[in-house]
Coordinates of all heavy atoms in Angstrom, one line a residue:
Chain A
E7 N 1.1 30.7 -17.8 CA 0.0 31.0 -16.9 C -0.3 32.5 -16.9 O -1.5 32.8 -17.0 CB 0.5 30.7 -15.4 CG -0.7 30.2 -14.5 CD -0.2 29.8 -13.2 OE1 0.2 30.7 -12.4 OE2 0.0 28.6 -13.0
N8 N 0.7 33.3 -16.9 CA 0.5 34.7 -17.1 C -0.2 35.1 -18.3 O -1.1 35.9 -18.3 CB 1.9 35.4 -17.0 CG 2.6 35.4 -15.7 OD1 1.9 35.0 -14.7 ND2 3.8 35.5 -15.7
Q10 N -2.1 33.4 -20.2 CA -3.5 33.0 -20.2 C -4.3 34.0 -19.4 O -5.4 34.5 -19.7 CB -3.7 31.7 -19.6 CG -3.3 30.6 -20.5 CD -3.1 29.3 -19.8 OE1 -3.6 29.2 -18.7 NE2 -2.6 28.3 -20.4
A11 N -3.7 34.3 -18.2 CA -4.4 35.1 -17.2 C -4.8 36.4 -17.8 O -5.9 36.8 -17.8 CB -3.5 35.3 -16.1
V12 N -3.8 37.1 -18.4 CA -4.0 38.4 -18.8 C -4.9 38.4 -20.0 O -5.6 39.4 -20.3 CB -2.7 39.1 -19.0 CG1 -2.9 40.6 -19.2 CG2 -1.8 38.9 -17.7
K14 N -7.5 36.8 -20.2 CA -8.8 36.9 -19.6 C -9.2 38.3 -19.2 O -10.2 38.8 -19.3 CB -8.9 35.9 -18.4 CG -9.5 34.6 -18.8 CD -9.8 33.8 -17.6 CE -8.8 32.6 -17.6 NZ -8.9 31.9 -16.3
Q15 N -8.2 39.0 -18.5 CA -8.5 40.3 -18.0 C -8.6 41.3 -19.1 O -9.2 42.4 -18.9 CB -7.4 40.7 -17.0 CG -6.3 41.4 -17.7 CD -5.1 41.5 -16.7 OE1 -4.9 40.6 -15.9 NE2 -4.4 42.6 -16.7
S16 N -8.1 41.0 -20.3 CA -7.9 42.0 -21.3 C -9.2 42.6 -21.7 O -9.4 43.8 -21.8 CB -7.1 41.6 -22.5 OG -7.8 40.5 -23.1
I18 N -13.1 41.9 -20.6 CA -14.1 41.2 -20.0 C -15.5 41.6 -20.5 O -16.2 42.5 -20.0 CB -14.0 41.4 -18.5 CG1 -12.6 40.9 -18.1 CG2 -15.0 40.5 -17.8 CD1 -12.3 41.0 -16.5
Q255 N -0.7 26.4 8.1 CA -0.2 27.4 9.0 C 1.2 27.9 8.4 O 1.5 29.1 8.7 CB 0.1 26.9 10.4 CG -1.1 26.3 11.1 CD -2.2 27.3 11.2 OE1 -2.0 28.4 11.5 NE2 -3.4 26.9 10.8
G256 N 1.9 27.1 7.7 CA 3.2 27.6 7.3 C 3.1 28.4 6.0 O 4.1 28.9 5.6
E257 N 1.9 28.6 5.3 CA 1.9 29.2 4.1 C 2.1 30.8 4.3 O 1.7 31.4 5.3 CB 0.5 29.0 3.4 CG 0.2 27.5 3.1 CD 1.0 27.0 2.0 OE1 1.6 27.8 1.2 OE2 1.0 25.8 1.8
D258 N 2.6 31.4 3.2 CA 2.9 32.8 3.3 C 1.6 33.6 3.5 O 1.5 34.6 4.2 CB 3.5 33.3 2.0 CG 5.0 32.8 1.9 OD1 5.5 32.4 2.9 OD2 5.5 32.9 0.8
Y259 N 0.5 33.1 2.8 CA -0.7 34.0 2.9 C -1.3 33.9 4.3 O -2.0 34.8 4.7 CB -1.8 33.5 1.9 CG -2.2 32.1 2.0 CD1 -3.0 31.6 2.8 CD2 -1.6 31.1 1.0 CE1 -3.4 30.2 2.9 CE2 -2.0 29.8 1.0 CZ -2.9 29.4 1.9 OH -3.2 28.0 2.0
M260 N -0.9 32.9 5.1 CA -1.4 32.9 6.5 C -0.7 34.0 7.4 O -1.3 34.6 8.2 CB -1.2 31.5 7.1 CG -2.2 30.5 6.6 SD -3.9 30.8 6.8 CE -3.9 30.5 8.7
I261 N 0.6 34.1 7.1 CA 1.4 35.1 7.8 C 0.9 36.5 7.4 O 0.6 37.4 8.2 CB 2.9 35.0 7.4 CG1 3.4 33.6 7.9 CG2 3.7 36.1 8.0 CD1 4.8 33.2 7.4
Q262 N 0.6 36.6 6.0 CA 0.1 37.9 5.5 C -1.3 38.2 6.1 O -1.6 39.4 6.4 CB 0.1 37.8 4.0 CG -0.4 39.1 3.3 CD 0.6 40.3 3.7 OE1 1.5 40.1 4.3 NE2 0.1 41.5 3.4
A263 N -2.1 37.2 6.3 CA -3.4 37.4 6.9 C -3.2 38.0 8.3 O -4.1 38.9 8.7 CB -4.2 36.1 6.9
D264 N -2.3 37.5 9.1 CA -2.1 38.0 10.4 C -1.5 39.5 10.3 O -1.9 40.3 11.0 CB -1.1 37.2 11.2 CG -1.7 36.1 11.9 OD1 -2.8 36.4 12.4 OD2 -1.0 35.1 12.1
A265 N -0.7 39.7 9.3 CA -0.1 41.0 9.2 C -1.1 42.1 8.8 O -1.0 43.2 9.0 CB 1.0 41.0 8.1
K266 N -2.1 41.6 8.1 CA -3.2 42.4 7.7 C -4.1 42.8 8.9 O -5.1 43.5 8.8 CB -4.1 41.8 6.7 CG -3.6 42.0 5.2 CD -4.2 41.0 4.2 CE -5.6 41.4 3.7 NZ -6.1 40.4 2.7
G267 N -3.9 42.1 10.1 CA -4.7 42.4 11.2 C -6.1 41.9 11.1 O -7.1 42.6 11.6
L268 N -6.3 40.8 10.4 CA -7.7 40.3 10.2 C -8.2 39.7 11.5 O -7.4 39.3 12.3 CB -7.8 39.3 9.1 CG -7.4 39.8 7.7 CD1 -7.4 38.6 6.7 CD2 -8.3 40.8 7.3
K269 N -9.5 39.6 11.6 CA -10.1 39.0 12.8 C -9.7 37.4 12.7 O -9.7 36.8 11.7 CB -11.6 39.1 12.8 CG -11.9 40.5 13.2 CD -13.5 40.7 13.3 CE -13.8 42.1 13.6 NZ -15.2 42.5 13.2
G270 N -9.5 36.9 13.9 CA -9.2 35.4 14.0 C -10.2 34.6 13.2 O -9.9 33.6 12.6
R272 N -12.1 35.2 10.7 CA -12.0 35.4 9.3 C -10.8 34.5 8.8 O -10.9 33.8 7.7 CB -11.9 36.8 8.8 CG -12.0 36.9 7.3 CD -11.5 38.3 6.8 NE -12.5 39.3 7.2 CZ -13.6 39.6 6.5 NH1 -13.9 39.0 5.5 NH2 -14.4 40.6 7.0
I273 N -9.7 34.6 9.6 CA -8.6 33.9 9.1 C -8.8 32.4 9.1 O -8.4 31.6 8.2 CB -7.3 34.2 10.0 CG1 -6.9 35.7 10.0 CG2 -6.1 33.4 9.6 CD1 -5.8 36.1 10.8
R276 N -11.8 31.8 6.2 CA -11.6 32.1 4.8 C -10.2 31.8 4.3 O -10.1 31.7 3.1 CB -11.8 33.7 4.7 CG -13.3 34.1 4.8 CD -14.0 33.9 3.5 NE -15.4 33.7 3.8 CZ -16.3 33.3 2.8 NH1 -15.8 33.2 1.6 NH2 -17.5 33.2 3.0
Y277 N -9.3 31.8 5.3 CA -7.9 31.5 4.8 C -7.5 30.1 5.1 O -7.1 29.3 4.2 CB -7.0 32.5 5.5 CG -7.0 33.9 4.9 CD1 -8.1 34.7 5.2 CD2 -6.0 34.3 4.1 CE1 -8.2 36.0 4.6 CE2 -6.1 35.7 3.5 CZ -7.2 36.4 3.8 OH -7.3 37.7 3.2
A278 N -7.6 29.6 6.4 CA -7.1 28.3 6.7 C -8.0 27.2 6.3 O -7.6 26.3 5.5 CB -6.9 28.3 8.2
R280 N -10.7 27.1 4.2 CA -11.0 26.9 2.8 C -9.9 26.3 2.1 O -10.1 25.5 1.2 CB -11.3 28.4 2.2 CG -12.8 28.8 2.5 CD -13.7 28.1 1.5 NE -13.9 28.9 0.3 CZ -13.5 28.5 -0.9 NH1 -12.8 27.4 -1.1 NH2 -13.6 29.2 -2.0
N281 N -8.7 26.7 2.4 CA -7.5 26.1 1.7 C -7.2 24.6 2.1 O -6.9 23.8 1.2 CB -6.3 26.9 1.9 CG -6.2 28.1 1.0 OD1 -6.1 28.0 -0.2 ND2 -6.4 29.3 1.6
L284 N -9.4 21.7 0.3 CA -9.3 21.3 -1.1 C -8.7 19.8 -1.0 O -9.4 19.0 -1.8 CB -8.3 22.2 -1.8 CG -8.9 23.6 -1.9 CD1 -7.8 24.5 -2.6 CD2 -10.2 23.7 -2.6
L353 N -15.2 24.9 -8.6 CA -15.9 25.9 -7.9 C -15.2 26.2 -6.6 O -15.2 27.3 -6.0 CB -17.3 25.5 -7.6 CG -18.2 25.2 -8.8 CD1 -19.6 24.8 -8.4 CD2 -18.2 26.5 -9.7
L354 N -14.5 25.2 -6.0 CA -13.7 25.4 -4.8 C -12.4 25.9 -5.0 O -11.9 26.7 -4.2 CB -13.6 24.0 -4.0 CG -14.8 23.5 -3.3 CD1 -14.5 22.2 -2.8 CD2 -15.2 24.4 -2.2
D355 N -11.8 25.5 -6.1 CA -10.4 25.9 -6.4 C -10.2 26.5 -7.8 O -10.2 25.8 -8.8 CB -9.5 24.6 -6.3 CG -8.0 25.0 -6.4 OD1 -7.7 26.2 -6.7 OD2 -7.1 24.2 -6.1
P356 N -10.2 27.9 -7.8 CA -10.2 28.5 -9.1 C -8.9 28.1 -10.0 O -9.0 28.3 -11.2 CB -10.2 30.0 -8.7 CG -9.6 30.0 -7.3 CD -10.1 28.8 -6.7
R357 N -7.9 27.6 -9.3 CA -6.7 27.3 -10.1 C -6.9 26.1 -11.0 O -6.2 26.0 -12.0 CB -5.5 27.0 -9.2 CG -5.0 28.3 -8.5 CD -4.2 27.9 -7.2 NE -4.9 27.1 -6.2 CZ -4.5 26.8 -5.1 NH1 -3.2 27.1 -4.8 NH2 -5.2 26.2 -4.2
I358 N -7.9 25.3 -10.7 CA -7.9 24.0 -11.4 C -8.4 24.2 -12.9 O -8.0 23.4 -13.8 CB -8.9 23.0 -10.7 CG1 -8.8 21.6 -11.1 CG2 -10.4 23.4 -11.0 CD1 -7.6 21.0 -10.3
K359 N -9.0 25.3 -13.2 CA -9.5 25.5 -14.6 C -8.2 25.7 -15.5 O -8.2 25.2 -16.6 CB -10.3 26.8 -14.7 CG -11.7 26.6 -14.1 CD -12.5 27.9 -14.1 CE -13.5 27.9 -13.0 NZ -13.9 29.2 -12.6
V360 N -7.3 26.4 -15.0 CA -6.1 26.6 -15.8 C -5.3 25.3 -16.0 O -4.9 25.0 -17.1 CB -5.2 27.6 -15.1 CG1 -3.9 27.7 -15.8 CG2 -5.9 29.0 -15.0
Chain D
M69 N 9.6 41.0 11.4 CA 8.4 40.3 11.9 C 8.2 40.8 13.4 O 7.0 40.9 13.8 CB 8.6 38.8 11.9 CG 8.4 38.3 10.5 SD 6.7 38.5 9.9 CE 6.9 38.4 8.2
M72 N 6.1 43.9 13.9 CA 4.7 43.7 13.9 C 4.1 42.8 14.9 O 3.0 42.4 14.8 CB 4.3 43.2 12.5 CG 4.8 44.2 11.4 SD 3.9 43.9 9.9 CE 2.3 44.6 10.2
L74 N 4.8 39.6 14.9 CA 4.3 38.4 14.3 C 5.3 37.2 14.5 O 5.2 36.3 13.8 CB 4.1 38.7 12.8 CG 3.0 39.5 12.4 CD1 3.0 39.9 11.0 CD2 1.7 38.8 12.7
R76 N 6.7 34.0 15.6 CA 5.9 32.7 16.0 C 6.9 31.8 16.8 O 8.1 31.8 16.7 CB 5.7 31.9 14.7 CG 4.6 32.6 13.9 CD 4.0 31.6 12.9 NE 3.0 32.1 12.0 CZ 2.3 31.4 11.1 NH1 2.6 30.2 11.0 NH2 1.4 32.0 10.5
R102 N -3.8 43.8 16.9 CA -4.4 43.4 15.6 C -4.9 44.6 14.9 O -4.8 44.8 13.8 CB -5.6 42.5 15.9 CG -6.3 42.0 14.7 CD -7.5 41.1 15.0 NE -8.7 41.7 15.4 CZ -9.5 42.5 14.7 NH1 -9.2 42.7 13.4 NH2 -10.5 43.1 15.2
R105 N -2.1 46.7 13.3 CA -1.6 46.1 12.0 C -2.4 46.6 10.9 O -3.6 46.7 11.0 CB -1.6 44.6 12.0 CG -0.5 44.0 13.0 CD -0.6 42.4 13.0 NE 0.2 42.0 14.1 CZ -0.3 41.0 14.9 NH1 -1.5 40.4 14.7 NH2 0.3 40.6 16.0
L106 N -1.7 46.9 9.8 CA -2.4 47.5 8.7 C -2.8 48.9 8.8 O -2.5 49.7 7.9 CB -3.6 46.6 8.2 CG -4.1 46.9 6.7 CD1 -3.0 46.4 5.7 CD2 -5.4 46.1 6.5
I109 N 0.7 50.1 11.0 CA 2.0 49.5 10.5 C 1.6 48.4 9.6 O 1.0 47.4 10.0 CB 2.9 49.0 11.7 CG1 4.2 48.4 11.3 CG2 2.1 48.2 12.7 CD1 5.1 48.1 12.5
L111 N 2.5 45.7 6.3 CA 3.6 44.8 5.8 C 3.4 44.6 4.3 O 2.3 44.2 3.9 CB 3.6 43.4 6.5 CG 4.7 42.4 6.0 CD1 6.1 42.9 6.4 CD2 4.4 41.1 6.5
P113 N 4.8 42.1 1.8 CA 5.6 40.9 2.1 C 6.7 40.5 1.1 O 6.6 41.0 -0.1 CB 4.6 39.8 2.3 CG 3.5 40.3 1.3 CD 3.4 41.7 1.4
Q114 N 7.5 39.6 1.6 CA 8.5 39.1 0.7 C 7.9 38.1 -0.3 O 7.0 37.4 0.1 CB 9.4 38.3 1.7 CG 10.6 37.6 1.0 CD 11.5 36.9 2.0 OE1 11.0 36.6 3.1 NE2 12.7 36.8 1.8
G115 N 8.3 38.2 -1.5 CA 7.8 37.2 -2.5 C 6.2 37.2 -2.5 O 5.7 36.2 -2.0
N118 N 3.3 33.9 -3.0 CA 2.4 33.1 -2.2 C 1.6 33.9 -1.0 O 1.1 33.3 -0.3 CB 3.2 32.0 -1.6 CG 3.9 31.2 -2.7 OD1 3.3 30.9 -3.7 ND2 5.2 30.9 -2.4
S119 N 1.8 35.2 -1.0 CA 1.2 35.9 0.1 C -0.2 36.2 -0.1 O -0.9 36.8 0.7 CB 2.1 37.1 0.4 OG 2.0 38.0 -0.6
L120 N -0.7 35.9 -1.3 CA -2.2 36.1 -1.5 C -2.9 34.8 -1.4 O -2.4 33.7 -1.8 CB -2.4 36.7 -2.9 CG -1.8 38.1 -3.1 CD1 -1.9 38.5 -4.7 CD2 -2.5 39.1 -2.3
N121 N -4.0 34.8 -0.8 CA -4.9 33.7 -0.6 C -5.2 33.1 -2.0 O -5.9 33.9 -2.8 CB -6.1 34.0 0.2 CG -6.9 32.8 0.5 OD1 -6.7 31.7 0.1 ND2 -7.9 32.9 1.5
P122 N -4.9 31.9 -2.4 CA -5.0 31.4 -3.7 C -6.5 31.3 -4.2 O -6.8 31.2 -5.3 CB -4.3 30.1 -3.8 CG -4.3 29.7 -2.4 CD -4.1 30.9 -1.6
I123 N -7.4 31.2 -3.2 CA -8.8 30.9 -3.5 C -9.8 32.1 -3.2 O -10.9 31.8 -2.9 CB -9.3 29.6 -2.9 CG1 -9.0 29.6 -1.4 CG2 -8.7 28.4 -3.6 CD1 -9.5 28.4 -0.7
M124 N -9.2 33.3 -3.2 CA -10.0 34.4 -3.0 C -9.7 35.5 -4.1 O -8.5 35.7 -4.4 CB -9.7 35.0 -1.6 CG -10.8 35.9 -1.0 SD -10.2 36.6 0.5 CE -10.8 35.6 1.8
K128 N -11.7 41.1 -3.0 CA -12.0 40.7 -1.7 C -10.9 40.7 -0.7 O -10.9 41.1 0.4 CB -12.6 39.3 -1.7 CG -14.1 39.3 -1.8 CD -14.7 38.0 -1.3 CE -15.5 38.3 0.0 NZ -16.1 37.1 0.6
Q129 N -9.7 40.3 -1.2 CA -8.5 40.4 -0.3 C -8.1 41.8 0.0 O -7.4 42.0 1.0 CB -7.3 39.6 -1.0 CG -7.7 38.2 -1.5 CD -6.5 37.3 -1.6 OE1 -5.6 37.3 -0.7 NE2 -6.5 36.5 -2.6
I130 N -8.5 42.7 -0.9 CA -8.1 44.1 -0.5 C -9.0 44.6 0.5 O -8.6 45.3 1.4 CB -8.1 44.9 -1.8 CG1 -7.0 44.5 -2.8 CG2 -7.9 46.4 -1.5 CD1 -7.0 45.2 -4.1
D132 N -11.0 42.9 2.7 CA -11.3 42.2 4.0 C -10.5 42.9 5.2 O -11.0 42.9 6.3 CB -11.2 40.7 4.0 CG -9.8 40.2 3.6 OD1 -8.9 41.1 3.5 OD2 -9.7 39.0 3.6
G133 N -9.3 43.4 4.9 CA -8.6 44.1 5.9 C -9.3 45.4 6.4 O -9.4 45.7 7.5
I135 N -12.5 46.0 6.2 CA -13.7 45.7 7.0 C -13.4 45.2 8.5 O -14.1 45.7 9.4 CB -14.6 44.5 6.3 CG1 -15.1 45.1 5.0 CG2 -15.6 43.9 7.2 CD1 -15.8 44.1 4.1
D136 N -12.3 44.5 8.6 CA -12.0 44.0 9.9 C -11.3 45.1 10.7 O -11.0 44.9 11.9 CB -11.0 42.8 9.8 CG -11.7 41.5 9.6 OD1 -12.9 41.6 9.4 OD2 -11.1 40.5 9.6
H137 N -11.1 46.3 10.2 CA -10.6 47.4 11.0 C -11.7 48.5 11.3 O -11.3 49.5 11.7 CB -9.4 48.0 10.3 CG -8.1 47.2 10.5 ND1 -7.9 46.1 9.8 CD2 -7.1 47.3 11.5 CE1 -6.7 45.6 10.2 NE2 -6.3 46.3 11.2
R164 N -5.0 47.9 -13.6 CA -6.3 48.2 -14.1 C -7.4 47.8 -13.0 O -7.2 46.7 -12.4 CB -6.6 47.4 -15.3 CG -6.4 48.3 -16.6 CD -6.3 47.4 -17.7 NE -5.0 46.7 -17.7 CZ -4.9 45.4 -18.2 NH1 -5.9 44.8 -18.7 NH2 -3.7 44.8 -18.0
G166 N -10.0 46.2 -13.4 CA -10.5 44.8 -13.6 C -9.8 43.8 -12.9 O -10.3 42.6 -12.7
V167 N -8.6 44.1 -12.4 CA -7.8 43.1 -11.6 C -8.6 42.6 -10.4 O -8.4 41.5 -9.9 CB -6.5 43.7 -11.2 CG1 -5.7 42.8 -10.3 CG2 -5.7 43.9 -12.6
R169 N -11.4 41.5 -10.1 CA -12.2 40.3 -10.3 C -11.4 39.0 -10.6 O -11.9 38.0 -10.7 CB -13.2 40.5 -11.4 CG -14.4 41.3 -11.1 CD -15.4 41.4 -12.3 NE -14.8 42.0 -13.5 CZ -15.0 43.3 -13.7 NH1 -15.6 44.0 -13.0 NH2 -14.4 43.8 -14.8
L170 N -10.0 39.2 -10.6 CA -9.2 38.1 -10.9 C -8.8 37.3 -9.7 O -8.9 37.7 -8.6 CB -8.0 38.5 -11.7 CG -8.2 39.3 -13.0 CD1 -6.9 39.7 -13.6 CD2 -9.0 38.4 -14.0
W171 N -8.3 36.1 -9.9 CA -7.7 35.2 -8.9 C -6.2 35.5 -8.9 O -5.6 35.8 -9.9 CB -8.0 33.8 -9.1 CG -9.4 33.4 -9.3 CD1 -10.0 33.2 -10.5 CD2 -10.3 33.2 -8.3 NE1 -11.3 32.9 -10.2 CE2 -11.6 32.9 -8.9 CE3 -10.3 33.3 -6.9 CZ2 -12.7 32.6 -8.2 CZ3 -11.4 33.0 -6.2 CH2 -12.7 32.7 -6.9
H173 N -3.6 33.5 -9.1 CA -2.9 32.8 -10.1 C -2.9 33.4 -11.4 O -2.1 33.0 -12.3 CB -3.2 31.3 -10.1 CG -4.5 31.0 -10.7 ND1 -5.7 31.0 -9.9 CD2 -4.9 30.8 -11.9 CE1 -6.7 30.7 -10.8 NE2 -6.2 30.6 -12.0
E174 N -3.9 34.2 -11.7 CA -3.9 34.9 -13.0 C -3.0 36.1 -13.2 O -3.1 36.7 -14.2 CB -5.5 35.2 -13.2 CG -6.4 34.0 -13.3 CD -7.8 34.4 -13.4 OE1 -8.3 35.3 -12.8 OE2 -8.5 33.6 -14.1
L175 N -2.3 36.4 -12.1 CA -1.5 37.6 -12.1 C 0.0 37.2 -12.3 O 0.5 36.2 -11.9 CB -1.7 38.4 -10.9 CG -3.0 38.8 -10.4 CD1 -3.0 39.7 -9.2 CD2 -3.7 39.5 -11.6
S176 N 0.7 38.1 -12.9 CA 2.2 37.9 -13.0 C 2.8 38.4 -11.7 O 2.2 39.0 -10.8 CB 2.8 38.8 -14.1 OG 2.7 40.1 -13.7
G177 N 4.1 38.0 -11.4 CA 4.7 38.3 -10.2 C 4.7 39.8 -9.9 O 4.4 40.2 -8.7
M179 N 2.6 42.0 -11.0 CA 1.1 42.4 -10.6 C 0.8 42.0 -9.2 O 0.2 42.8 -8.5 CB 0.2 41.8 -11.7 CG 0.3 42.3 -13.0 SD -0.6 41.3 -14.2 CE -2.2 41.9 -14.1
A184 N -0.1 43.4 -3.4 CA 0.3 43.5 -2.1 C 0.5 44.9 -1.6 O 0.2 45.2 -0.4 CB 1.6 42.6 -1.9
I187 N -2.9 46.5 -0.8 CA -3.4 46.1 0.5 C -2.6 46.8 1.6 O -3.3 47.4 2.5 CB -3.2 44.5 0.7 CG1 -4.1 43.8 -0.3 CG2 -3.5 44.1 2.2 CD1 -3.8 42.2 -0.4

Side-chain angles (χ1 to χ4, degrees):
Chain A
E7 210 176 80
N8 291 342
Q10 282 165 13
V12 189
K14 261 187 253 172
Q15 85 192 38
S16 61
I18 302 181
Q255 301 305 315
E257 300 287 349
D258 289 347
Y259 55 79
M260 291 297 290
I261 297 168
Q262 184 57 11
D264 270 329
K266 274 162 84 176
L268 298 181
K269 287 180 180 159
R272 186 191 295 275
I273 300 178
R276 293 275 155 189
Y277 285 71
R280 277 279 272 112
N281 278 291
L284 301 174
L353 298 179
L354 285 175
D355 188 352
R357 289 164 295 185
I358 202 79
K359 284 174 210 163
V360 172
Chain D
M69 285 295 161
M72 299 199 74
L74 287 171
R76 289 194 179 187
R102 181 180 78 70
R105 289 182 197 132
L106 196 66
I109 178 170
L111 178 72
Q114 180 174 27
N118 305 316
S119 65
L120 295 171
N121 186 352
I123 51 175
M124 199 187 263
K128 268 203 108 179
Q129 304 205 42
I130 294 176
D132 66 0
I135 291 172
D136 276 7
H137 281 82
R164 261 164 293 146
V167 169
R169 282 189 296 267
L170 299 180
W171 304 100
H173 71 267
E174 296 174 323
L175 307 182
S176 70
M179 291 166 84
I187 294 171

